Amino acid sequence: MDVSRCISAENLQETGFAYTLSLISGKYKMTVLYTLSEFGVVRFNEMKRYIGGVSFKTLSTTLKELEADGLVHREEYPQVPPKVEYSLTRRGQSLMPLLDGMCRWGEENRQ
């Protein structure tokens, strides 16, 4: 901790913490990232069933946001019925040590 810093001269929004939080905050974003980390390539309905309790619209919006942020890759196959698969990008994979640390903390501290 730098004791020469003064909070009145700082702005949380300019920190790496705030940027990371902007990418992973949201009710299901970390859950989706965790799911893709655990299972690799996942189809939409598989993910919806695995997560449970998430609406079609919410999951769809969450995946679109993660894709727009470059964390999730969406692969669409031109067939009938349509087939869409999701996976982590390299950028998304780079977040996994953070999520792994959260998982370890949860395992060590849950009652």
Side-chain angles (χ1 to χ4, degrees):
M1 182 167 83
D2 184 356
V3 293
S4 66
R5 291 175 60 200
C6 178
I7 194 168
S8 62
E10 300 288 334
N11 181 347
L12 179 65
Q13 297 309 311
E14 295 173 4
T15 65
F17 173 79
Y19 177 71
T20 304
L21 201 57
S22 75
L23 294 179
I24 63 173
S25 65
K27 188 168 182 179
Y28 292 100
K29 283 186 177 181
M30 286 195 295
T31 304
V32 167
L33 293 170
Y34 174 81
T35 301
L36 294 174
S37 173
E38 289 292 302
F39 297 101
V41 177
V42 180
R43 294 178 72 177
F44 185 91
N45 286 333
E46 294 172 327
M47 189 176 311
K48 188 173 181 325
R49 273 192 302 276
Y50 177 73
I51 293 173
V54 61
S55 71
F56 177 90
K57 182 179 179 184
T58 300
L59 182 56
S60 179
T61 300
T62 299
L63 285 163
K64 285 177 185 173
E65 289 172 0
L66 290 169
E67 183 183 8
D69 288 332
L71 302 175
V72 169
H73 173 72
R74 180 180 189 270
E75 185 71 37
E76 188 172 344
Y77 298 92
Q79 63 185 51
V80 178
K83 178 181 173 183
V84 179
E85 295 178 333
Y86 296 91
S87 60
L88 291 175
T89 62
R90 282 191 180 175
R91 188 169 191 230
Q93 291 169 353
S94 72
L95 275 170
M96 290 311 101
L98 185 130
L99 269 79
D100 290 341
M102 291 174 66
C103 290
R104 274 192 307 280
W105 188 92
E107 290 297 326
E108 293 167 1
N109 290 280
R110 70 178 171 169
Q111 299 297 329

